[in-house]
Amino acid sequence: MPVYEGMTIRGRSPNIRRPQQSEAPYVSRTTARLDDSPVRIAAAGSAAVNQASQDYWRSMGHFGAGLSALGRAGAEAYIHYSAAKAEELSTLHIQQLNQSASGENGYLSRQGESSFSVAEEFGSEAQGLRDEAGKQLNPLAMRLYERKMRDFTSRESIKLQQHSMNQLRLFEDRNDDAATENALNMAAQNYNDPEELNRWIGEALSSQGRKLDRQGFGEEAKTAAFKEITSGAKRGAFTMALANKDIGSARRVLNDALGKGGNTVRPHPPLPEGVVATAERIAKEEGVDPELVQAVIWQESRGDPNAVSKAGARGFMQLMPATAKEMGVTDVFDPEQNIRAGTQYLKKMLGTFNGDERLALMAYNWGPGNVKKWLSAGADPAKIPNETLRYVDSLLGSMPSGENQLTTKDEVWMRNALVNAEKQRKGENAVAFTNLQNDFQNDALQGKDISGYRNFVKSEFIDTYGEERGEREYLKYTEAREANSHLRDMKDMTNENINRWIVDNRPGAGPGSKIKDSVYGLVANAMNQELIARAQDPAAYLISRDEDVARAREAMFNNMNSDSVQAYAQVSAAAAGKRGMPLTRLFSQADIMNMAATINASGTPLESLTRVMESVGSYGLDVSRQLFSKQGGNLPAAAQHAYMIRNAGDGDRLWNALRDPEFVKNTKNVLGLTGSANTDFEDRLRSGTDEFAQTFGYHTDAAVSLQDSVRVLALLYMRDGKNTRDAVSDAAARFTDRYTVSGSLRIPKMDSQGKAVDAAAVMQGSRRSLNSVAGNPEDIEEHLLHTLYPVREGGSREEQLQAMQRDLQDNGEWLVNEDESAARLFIHGVLVRDKNGEPIERTWDDFSSLAPHLTDREVEARRVLTTRMITFRGVEGAREALGEEFDESVALDYPRLFRRKR
């Protein structure tokens, strides 16, 4: 701020110079600053005068002139100072306000709601600066400041107010555009509700009307804009309907937009959710308005699937029997079939009457024939039955006709889109229906569960494929569904019923015979495979088909003991009996093979086998037969041999030695059995096992296997220190006493008179002796079945007998006890017990009394000779060789009691 350094006041008029000094005679220099107030300037002048009067009394004449000059100088200085001060501060504040208004982030850069109050904010800021200036400036400077600031702030306020107005208009335009867009989206989403659709279109028009008014459009321009918006909204709703495969709603939107008027479905109480979901799905698939279908369901049955009218109409949509038959309904009370058929029938009526919903509903209620007659007779409303009028009016309300709301472009597009959508829907439905049918028939004819598939009606096939092919495809469907029921039931059918079905259901000639033959062939083949599976591995079959058997098996293997085996056997027997199939094996092939593999892999296989046999208890017969069978566990003959002599303490040693292919060679080398010593050993071995060879037939597998076991056991005894004679004799004796004789059923043991016992005679005698045990002399075989095969409750009696006889012939024997007082019946080395759990045992006296010829040496000799000769030469060869010595009784019994394995 410039400062005048001072002025010198003289007695005469002062000469003011800037910034020089002004001098006065006779007066010492007095200095006053021009930025001081006029009071201080006057005081300075007064002081100078007083000083001058003290020194020079003559200066009093000049006092007035000096004081006047000082006043004028002070006023001029005050004015200049105030103007400078106002200019300086206003310039600074204008720059500040200009930056706030027009700067990078100033008021004029604001948009939207933040711009609405910029004029007020600008005014507040200017007022704040004015208040600040009032604290710094004198009144004169303040007036000059305000004059300059007023011009600037007025201009800026106008600019800011205009900016706010522009931003407010843009903000409102955007809000109205957003409201319009939201309303159009809601209109599209409510495509299936005409009232809501038009309400949301009205909201969109209202929003755009406000915008057009702000922009100054006239009525004509607004009318044109409104039609564009309405047309676009209708097209959006139409497009949404097509996107949702709702062709019925799309057609209604188009008709409404074209000003054709139409119908609106009246509201009704809600149906159950499941019914609504099914009705909506089917209606969309068939291209019918879902609301209309649901309204018909409510009107017809009140949502009761079991409703039956006095006239006989049934189900949700009250199908008459003739209509249901026409539409191919198999179960009129099945919700899927009933709603499907009713919707298709309603669709058919809509097609018959060119989409007129009122006429279609009249036909649904009154019958299409009556409606056609009514139309041809002039369509007099008075001739419509009151029931039909009430029916239609309860379902439909009217929509007034109006002008076309679509632009030409949208109308053309929507018409074409509807035609294409109907074609596409029909094509897609055909493809989807075909794929569904293929999946259904594949699953049905494989016997799978088809409960997940809905029931199809005949009209679907006709609609998809046309009349001729539709008939064929529907026949395939019905045949496959029926076949599935047989295939699903097959696992519980008896063998006899399966065979009867195959015979009784072979289709004859006639319509559809080719299709029926094809389906029958698949089912018959599956049933044959079922029979084969039952025969090949009955246990495996039951495990795979019967849940109870599978659970019992799992429980058994989790804790295998006599109780769990007994439970599994009983459940298996019951399952087999229900199916009328023989349970020839307790365990499946896979289970037996796993058992055998576990036994073989064990370090103590004989102990493992014994543990298994003890676990299975009374079912040891079945298990041993399966374990040692070549078709079962295929345990080696050595295992059976070792098991038979396990109580003698030699079983484990024998089994382990037999598992070593080099045992015989290495042991003979260790024992020095070479040359004549080995010849002597082998001769003694042949002599000691000759009885077995005679029994089994020389060089047969059984004889060779048994001889190998005796050889190994004899070598073990020799390694223990026995001589050749004793070792071979003791080894042969082990098997003579204990070994199960397979094949001929003859016992390698002498009777009390030293004669060989004929097993055939023993069997005949023992069978007769069982009369008293069975309690029914005429049904001995039945008792044998229940004593020998307690698990085999299933299958016919003939099948059971055959299985029993095969086991007796192949694997049965009588073994003499230690003191030779009696013999017991064994099969596969397992003791056979009677129904009371007692061993089937007979003394020699029993045999003698039951078979007197055993005491007749000549008769016995003839029987033994005849039996052996038949074994080697057959019946005719033996008869020719023996002549008169041939015993015909043996020949008669041979086919039933003997089955040689060559």
Side-chain angles (χ1 to χ4, degrees):
M1 180 182 294
V3 176
Y4 296 92
E5 294 296 331
M7 64 182 179
T8 301
I9 303 175
R10 296 178 184 278
R12 298 184 180 90
S13 300
N15 181 19
I16 299 174
R17 297 185 297 272
R18 300 172 184 168
Q20 298 176 357
Q21 296 180 347
S22 178
E23 298 179 357
Y26 316 116
V27 181
S28 61
R29 181 184 301 173
T30 298
T31 303
R33 293 176 61 85
L34 291 185
D35 60 347
D36 291 342
S37 68
V39 176
R40 293 192 60 190
I41 295 174
S46 176
V49 172
N50 288 334
Q51 185 179 1
S53 64
Q54 292 175 6
D55 295 333
Y56 303 98
W57 57 269
R58 293 183 296 275
S59 64
M60 288 296 292
H62 301 285
F63 176 77
L67 185 59
S68 177
L70 283 172
R72 289 193 301 273
E76 182 180 356
Y78 179 75
I79 292 170
H80 282 292
Y81 166 77
S82 298
K85 188 71 173 178
E87 177 69 22
E88 185 175 8
L89 191 57
S90 64
T91 300
L92 178 64
H93 285 182
I94 286 171
Q95 291 175 350
Q96 186 174 340
L97 289 173
N98 190 57
Q99 179 66 27
S100 295
S102 305
E104 182 177 355
N105 296 312
Y107 297 125
L108 291 174
S109 67
R110 293 187 187 179
Q111 296 181 350
E113 292 183 80
S114 64
S115 69
F116 297 166
S117 61
V118 292
E120 289 79 2
E121 292 182 48
F122 179 81
S124 297
E125 185 177 356
Q127 183 61 46
L129 293 175
R130 185 179 293 108
D131 293 341
E132 182 182 337
K135 296 176 183 178
Q136 299 181 26
L137 300 178
N138 58 49
L140 176 60
M142 190 64 190
R143 287 196 297 275
L144 295 173
Y145 171 87
E146 287 183 340
R147 183 185 303 165
K148 187 172 182 180
M149 290 295 290
R150 188 181 304 114
D151 293 339
F152 171 75
T153 54
S154 295
R155 292 193 304 271
E156 291 300 313
S157 292
I158 292 171
K159 288 168 58 179
L160 291 171
Q161 288 173 0
Q162 186 63 43
H163 176 70
S164 294
M165 291 177 61
N166 291 338
Q167 288 298 313
L168 177 60
R169 185 167 57 252
L170 291 174
F171 177 79
E172 290 176 340
D173 287 350
R174 283 195 291 269
N175 281 349
D176 284 332
D177 286 341
T180 301
E181 183 178 358
N182 179 66
L184 293 176
N185 286 334
M186 292 303 297
Q189 292 177 25
N190 285 276
Y191 65 86
N192 58 350
D193 187 336
E195 186 176 336
E196 281 295 293
L197 169 60
N198 289 323
R199 184 178 74 80
W200 282 109
I201 292 177
E203 292 285 341
L205 295 179
S206 176
S207 300
Q208 283 301 296
R210 291 193 297 268
K211 177 181 176 181
L212 295 174
D213 288 340
R214 285 193 299 272
Q215 295 177 352
F217 284 86
E219 289 301 319
E220 184 177 350
K222 287 172 61 177
T223 300
F226 284 171
K227 181 163 186 177
E228 288 283 349
I229 293 170
T230 303
S231 181
K234 296 287 184 176
R235 175 170 173 166
F238 176 87
T239 304
M240 183 68 74
L242 291 185
N244 286 309
K245 309 290 186 184
D246 191 348
I247 295 178
S249 293
R251 185 184 296 109
R252 186 176 58 201
V253 170
L254 176 59
N255 289 337
D256 179 39
L258 292 174
K260 293 182 177 181
N263 303 297
T264 177
V265 179
R266 294 187 187 278
H268 57 80
L271 293 166
E273 290 185 8
V275 179
V276 171
T278 302
E280 286 187 349
R281 171 175 56 80
I282 292 174
K284 289 181 179 180
E285 290 173 356
E286 299 297 339
V288 180
D289 181 6
E291 289 293 332
L292 182 59
V293 173
Q294 292 177 54
V296 171
I297 292 174
W298 172 257
Q299 184 62 31
E300 292 285 354
S301 65
R302 296 297 191 265
D304 180 6
N306 299 312
V308 179
S309 72
K310 294 180 180 179
R314 301 176 180 183
F316 278 125
M317 299 189 75
Q318 289 292 277
L319 300 179
M320 293 296 289
T323 304
K325 183 177 181 181
E326 175 190 347
M327 306 304 290
V329 175
T330 57
D331 181 2
V332 75
F333 293 111
D334 175 55
E336 176 77 26
Q337 289 194 65
N338 191 285
I339 295 175
R340 174 76 63 178
T343 302
Q344 289 187 332
Y345 187 74
L346 182 58
K347 175 184 175 182
K348 182 178 180 181
M349 295 302 99
L350 287 166
T352 300
F353 297 102
N354 299 316
D356 190 315
E357 292 176 335
R358 287 188 174 272
L359 292 178
L361 289 173
M362 285 175 61
Y364 195 94
N365 178 263
W366 192 18
N370 291 330
V371 175
K372 290 177 181 178
K373 291 177 183 178
W374 174 76
L375 289 172
S376 62
D380 182 0
K383 294 183 179 180
I384 301 175
N386 290 331
E387 179 191 348
T388 301
L389 285 174
R390 288 194 299 270
Y391 178 81
V392 176
D393 288 342
S394 68
L395 290 170
L396 296 179
S398 296
M399 292 173 55
S401 300
E403 64 180 12
N404 189 342
Q405 299 173 324
L406 300 177
T407 63
T408 302
K409 178 181 178 181
D410 285 343
E411 179 181 348
V412 171
W413 182 87
M414 290 169 71
R415 287 181 182 275
N416 290 334
L418 183 61
V419 172
N420 292 332
E422 289 177 334
K423 290 181 180 178
Q424 181 179 0
R425 179 193 60 79
K426 188 169 184 179
E428 289 176 350
N429 285 355
V431 171
F433 187 75
T434 299
N435 291 337
L436 184 61
Q437 282 305 305
N438 290 337
D439 292 341
F440 168 81
Q441 293 193 31
N442 287 336
D443 290 346
L445 294 176
Q446 290 178 30
K448 295 181 179 179
D449 182 7
I450 57 172
S451 60
Y453 291 93
R454 64 178 177 83
N455 290 319
F456 304 98
V457 293
K458 185 177 181 179
S459 55
E460 291 182 86
F461 295 87
I462 303 298
D463 186 54
T464 301
Y465 303 116
E467 189 74 28
E468 185 177 349
R469 184 183 172 190
E471 291 283 353
R472 293 198 306 271
E473 295 297 331
Y474 181 65
L475 178 60
K476 288 182 183 178
Y477 160 73
T478 55
E479 288 291 316
R481 182 171 284 280
E482 184 179 358
N484 180 260
S485 68
H486 295 305
L487 292 172
R488 299 279 293 172
D489 294 341
M490 177 176 62
K491 65 184 181 67
D492 295 323
M493 292 170 65
T494 64
N495 287 3
E496 182 180 356
N497 287 341
I498 290 177
N499 284 315
R500 184 180 297 120
W501 189 96
I502 294 173
V503 173
D504 294 346
N505 287 273
R506 183 179 297 278
S513 59
K514 186 175 181 181
I515 293 173
K516 293 179 180 179
D517 277 340
S518 175
V519 174
Y520 167 81
L522 290 172
V523 177
N525 181 64
M527 288 189 170
N528 281 322
Q529 293 301 318
E530 187 86 356
L531 293 174
I532 291 172
R534 291 181 179 188
Q536 286 182 340
D537 196 340
Y541 171 86
L542 291 175
I543 292 168
S544 66
R545 294 291 198 277
D546 195 295
E547 293 181 359
D548 291 339
V549 175
R551 282 193 293 268
R553 171 188 173 275
E554 183 178 2
M556 176 185 64
F557 280 114
N558 286 338
N559 183 23
M560 194 167 184
N561 54 49
S562 58
D563 290 338
S564 62
V565 174
Q566 176 78 15
Y568 167 68
Q570 290 175 347
V571 173
S572 297
K578 182 175 71 173
R579 294 166 174 82
M581 55 177 281
L583 185 59
T584 55
R585 292 186 291 275
L586 177 62
F587 291 104
S588 69
Q589 177 79 3
D591 287 343
I592 282 294
M593 291 179 71
N594 287 335
M595 284 185 189
T598 301
I599 292 170
N600 272 322
S602 171
T604 55
L606 184 57
E607 180 181 340
S608 298
L609 175 60
T610 304
R611 190 162 51 248
V612 168
M613 298 302 293
E614 289 174 352
S615 297
V616 298
S618 61
Y619 299 96
L621 168 62
D622 270 309
V623 176
S624 63
R625 182 169 55 86
Q626 289 187 257
L627 285 174
F628 296 120
S629 167
K630 289 185 178 180
Q631 292 75 32
N634 197 24
L635 284 178
Q640 189 174 6
H641 300 163
Y643 182 69
M644 289 302 102
I645 65 170
R646 65 189 184 282
N647 293 331
D650 297 323
D652 280 316
R653 288 207 304 164
L654 174 61
W655 195 337
N656 289 328
L658 286 168
R659 295 171 75 183
D660 181 3
E662 301 295 324
F663 175 81
V664 172
K665 176 182 176 182
N666 294 337
T667 304
K668 283 186 174 182
N669 288 337
V670 170
L671 295 174
L673 290 179
T674 60
S676 60
N678 181 56
T679 302
D680 179 56
F681 174 80
E682 291 296 332
D683 288 342
R684 290 181 180 277
L685 179 67
R686 280 191 293 274
S687 175
T689 59
D690 183 67
E691 189 174 347
F692 301 135
Q694 290 180 14
T695 299
F696 295 126
Y698 291 97
H699 309 298
T700 60
D701 291 341
V704 172
S705 173
L706 183 57
Q707 191 178 64
D708 289 340
S709 294
V710 174
R711 177 184 290 108
V712 169
L713 187 59
L715 290 173
L716 287 171
Y717 288 162
M718 291 179 69
R719 201 169 62 180
D720 291 341
K722 290 185 178 182
N723 58 44
T724 301
R725 183 188 62 188
D726 292 342
V728 172
S729 175
D730 290 348
R734 286 280 184 267
F735 290 100
T736 300
D737 290 343
R738 304 175 183 278
Y739 177 68
T740 298
V741 182
S742 298
S744 69
L745 301 181
R746 278 174 292 179
I747 301 174
K749 192 69 177 177
M750 298 295 178
D751 62 14
S752 56
Q753 287 78 34
K755 297 183 59 177
V757 177
D758 187 331
V762 172
M763 278 301 300
Q764 287 180 333
S766 64
R767 285 164 63 85
R768 289 193 295 271
S769 73
L770 287 173
N771 286 341
S772 59
V773 179
N776 183 358
E778 297 178 357
D779 199 13
I780 299 172
E781 290 86 353
E782 192 70 25
H783 173 71
L784 279 174
L785 288 175
H786 288 286
T787 54
L788 297 180
Y789 301 96
V791 70
R792 295 194 182 121
E793 301 294 340
S796 68
R797 185 174 182 279
E798 181 181 355
E799 290 170 330
Q800 294 174 356
L801 281 171
Q802 290 174 355
M804 180 191 72
Q805 290 168 358
R806 283 195 298 270
D807 260 353
L808 287 174
Q809 293 168 14
D810 293 345
N811 307 300
E813 61 176 339
W814 288 89
L815 293 184
V816 181
N817 59 13
E818 293 293 338
D819 61 7
E820 299 187 357
S821 62
R824 292 179 174 181
L825 181 62
F826 286 78
I827 295 183
H828 268 302
V830 178
L831 179 63
V832 180
R833 300 176 182 272
D834 62 22
K835 62 183 179 181
N836 298 317
E838 297 297 326
I840 294 180
E841 182 179 272
R842 292 293 174 267
T843 65
W844 292 112
D845 290 338
D846 291 335
F847 290 134
S848 298
S849 61
L850 294 171
H853 64 274
L854 288 178
T855 60
D856 187 334
R857 294 180 180 273
E858 295 181 3
V859 172
E860 180 185 351
R862 287 177 58 197
R863 289 185 59 80
V864 170
L865 182 60
T866 300
T867 299
R868 291 181 178 176
M869 191 62 69
I870 289 176
T871 298
F872 296 112
R873 299 190 181 185
V875 174
E876 295 303 326
R879 183 180 286 111
E880 181 181 353
L882 296 177
E884 295 180 358
E885 295 297 319
F886 184 80
D887 189 334
E888 292 292 342
S889 65
V890 175
L892 292 174
D893 287 337
Y894 181 82
R896 182 164 57 87
L897 298 177
F898 292 77
R899 184 171 67 182
R900 300 299 299 156
K901 292 184 179 179
R902 296 190 179 277

